[in-house]
Amino acid sequence: MTGDIVNLRQFRKQQARTEKDKAAEQNRISFGRTKAEKQLTKTLNDKARKALDQGRLETTQDEAGDER
């Protein structure tokens, strides 16, 4: 019954590194976006907002008061 001798200090450090790497990978997925991706999202949002505003009907103050 010979087993592998394991240094617990090194094992704990390796385990902590592995957990830290997993957390870092998750953060890269969640928060990591390139500048180009951010710019594309901003451009698409601005374009959609502009298209929405172009279709909006505006009423003047006089018209709003006459609609009773």
Side-chain angles (χ1 to χ4, degrees), residues 51-62:
L52 181 64
D53 288 342
Q54 286 176 349
R56 183 172 299 186
L57 296 175
E58 293 187 20
T59 60
T60 61
Q61 189 66 19
D62 293 335

Side-chain angles (χ1 to χ4, degrees), residues 42-56:
K42 182 181 181 297
T43 303
L44 291 174
N45 288 340
D46 289 345
K47 183 177 178 182
R49 187 177 304 112
K50 189 174 186 179
L52 181 64
D53 288 342
Q54 286 176 349
R56 183 172 299 186

Side-chain angles (χ1 to χ4, degrees), residues 18-60:
T18 304
E19 290 176 13
K20 197 172 185 179
D21 287 343
K22 286 180 185 178
E25 180 64 28
Q26 186 63 35
N27 285 339
R28 281 193 287 277
I29 291 170
S30 298
F31 302 108
R33 293 184 8 189
T34 63
K35 189 174 184 177
E37 290 172 335
K38 291 176 189 177
Q39 183 64 33
L40 176 64
T41 302
K42 182 181 181 297
T43 303
L44 291 174
N45 288 340
D46 289 345
K47 183 177 178 182
R49 187 177 304 112
K50 189 174 186 179
L52 181 64
D53 288 342
Q54 286 176 349
R56 183 172 299 186
L57 296 175
E58 293 187 20
T59 60
T60 61

